Amino acid sequence: MNPFHYAPADTVATALAALQQHPTAVPIAGGTNVLDLMKENVARPRMLVDINRLDLSAIEPTPQGGLRLGALARNAATAYHPLVRTHYPLLSAAILAGASPQIRNMASNGGNLLQRTRCVYFYDTATPCNKREPGAGCSAVGQLARQHAILGASAHCIAVHPSDMCVALAALEATVHVEGPGGPRAIAFADFHRLPGDRPDQDTVLQPGELILCIELPPPSGFFAHSAYLKLRERTSYAFALASVAAALKFNSEGRIARARIALGGVAHKPWRRTEAEDVLVGQAPDPAVFDQAASVLLEGAQPQGTGLGHNGFKIPLARRAIVRALALATAGTPGPERPNATTPGIPA
Ligand code: SF4
């Protein structure tokens, strides 16, 4: 590990000032990703700005009827918060599908948004990687790419975003509030993460020196009763998604779909959503054939990557079936412990 300066901050202002002291300065909260990156020599920040003392942990209703999730609220605290479980069970389910209980206890909401890809070549400093070192080349293209993207990739990077929480936030149309040298600004979640293009080193649209303050959820809009997060992975715990689906539906009095949201994880450099796919569902009775039509639109342009046993062509039919299954689960009603008003043994209500 390289030497670095440690700068604890007591206020947002002192944190922002410290972040501007060096171009490689990064904030640290739970440290569940950034410390791994530093130990593996993937990231070499000259300064760590400890933001854990900032007053950014609250989870509280907004005047508009939504919910504000503090950037420093831990993933576990967010998933088990009564207001999240009751009104945004899709978000609870997505968070609880990710990582391990220990990591969810440490990881912050802001850090979840900023975690880096788990592309194996990104972590292997003996191999070229455009995300780690712009212009070096991409070791994944045409090679072992089982975990990699089928949508939105570029010739420069085929990595996927690893978060489950972000897939739900994309479906829920959250807003990310940040502050930086240019003042505060609000970023629609759909615009927060980038596709790789020719700058895969840039995961998000955050500008240097900007800090995430909170994530705002809009009013629940009736999605809570029919939502599901389905995650498919190599093993049943502590693994990243091969494909995941956040699905939420709202039905009218005739039992037809009035509103729909679908976002995919594990398939692109950012949570993947196309409103055209949701439009296919509106006005329809819930039916596997209609769900499959929506899947076709959502997966339009999907391209496999890799070679031999490392080929990820299987992800396209896998994602299609996952979409249909997640929409069926959402139709049946929010499943499992995240069902509104349900209680879970051992989890504070
Ligand atoms: Fe690096 Fe992206 Fe290529 Fe992985 S896919 S080696 S992260 S450039």
Side-chain angles (χ1 to χ4, degrees):
M1 191 185 287
N2 289 280
F4 59 89
H5 297 283
Y6 171 75
D10 291 323
T11 64
V12 169
T14 56
L16 292 176
L19 286 170
Q20 288 170 55
Q21 284 183 24
H22 195 277
T24 66
V26 294
I28 182 167
T32 53
N33 189 211
V34 74
L35 291 180
D36 282 349
L37 294 166
M38 291 172 69
K39 285 187 275 191
E40 297 291 335
N41 205 28
V42 174
R44 293 179 287 277
R46 292 283 300 278
M47 178 177 285
L48 280 187
V49 181
D50 187 340
I51 59 172
N52 282 296
R53 293 184 206 166
L54 305 189
D55 184 18
L56 297 175
S57 297
I59 296 175
E60 54 196 4
T62 65
Q64 296 77 26
L67 196 62
R68 188 178 297 117
L69 311 173
L72 286 177
R74 304 296 149 163
N75 286 179
T78 305
Y80 294 136
H81 193 282
L83 291 175
V84 178
R85 292 181 64 210
T86 303
H87 299 294
Y88 305 93
L90 180 63
L91 180 58
S92 285
I95 294 173
L96 295 176
S100 66
Q102 293 88 344
I103 290 174
R104 294 194 296 265
N105 285 339
M106 283 297 294
S108 68
N109 289 337
N112 193 307
L113 271 57
L114 298 178
Q115 63 180 302
R116 310 298 307 272
T117 183
R118 264 53 174 200
C119 170
V120 292
Y121 304 104
F122 177 65
Y123 283 81
D124 180 357
T125 55
T127 61
C129 169
N130 285 323
K131 187 178 284 296
R132 184 171 11 88
E133 190 182 340
C138 172
S139 298
V141 171
Q143 301 298 323
L144 181 67
R146 263 182 76 77
Q147 302 279 349
H148 288 72
I150 52 173
L151 289 158
S154 76
H156 304 277
C157 180
I158 59 172
V160 297
H161 194 265
S163 171
D164 293 292
M165 179 182 185
C166 290
V167 184
L169 292 173
L172 292 169
E173 295 190 339
T175 301
V176 186
H177 293 272
V178 307
E179 186 158 350
R185 66 180 178 124
I187 306 167
F189 203 83
D191 301 328
F192 185 77
H193 294 100
R194 297 178 67 257
L195 290 178
D198 59 1
R199 290 300 307 270
D201 54 307
Q202 297 179 350
D203 292 345
T204 73
V205 298
L206 266 192
Q207 295 298 308
E210 282 188 324
L211 189 66
I212 299 175
L213 302 183
C214 69
I215 302 152
E216 184 178 340
L217 298 170
S221 307
F223 283 124
F224 61 86
H226 292 279
S227 68
Y229 187 73
L230 180 63
K231 178 177 181 179
L232 304 178
R233 47 190 159 177
E234 302 276 18
R235 58 175 188 260
T236 52
S237 76
Y238 197 31
F240 295 96
L242 291 168
S244 68
V245 186
L249 300 170
K250 185 177 180 184
F251 290 91
N252 64 20
S253 57
E254 297 165 351
R256 292 183 175 272
I257 297 167
R259 298 179 68 188
R261 300 277 176 77
I262 328 170
L264 300 182
V267 297
H269 201 256
K270 60 186 288 187
W272 191 260
R273 184 176 168 221
R274 291 189 73 204
T275 55
E276 295 91 336
E278 298 161 6
D279 293 344
V280 168
L281 298 171
V282 173
Q284 303 290 329
D287 179 87
V290 176
F291 298 162
D292 193 63
Q293 286 173 23
S296 293
V297 176
L298 192 52
L299 293 170
E300 209 172 278
Q303 291 285 339
Q305 303 285 345
T307 186
L309 289 176
H311 197 268
N312 73 354
F314 71 95
K315 273 194 173 190
I316 299 174
L318 185 78
R320 173 183 291 277
R321 290 196 293 270
I323 294 164
V324 173
R325 175 75 178 144
L327 287 167
L329 288 170
T331 299
T334 303
E338 308 319 322
R339 188 183 294 278
N341 304 319
T343 56
T344 305
I347 297 173

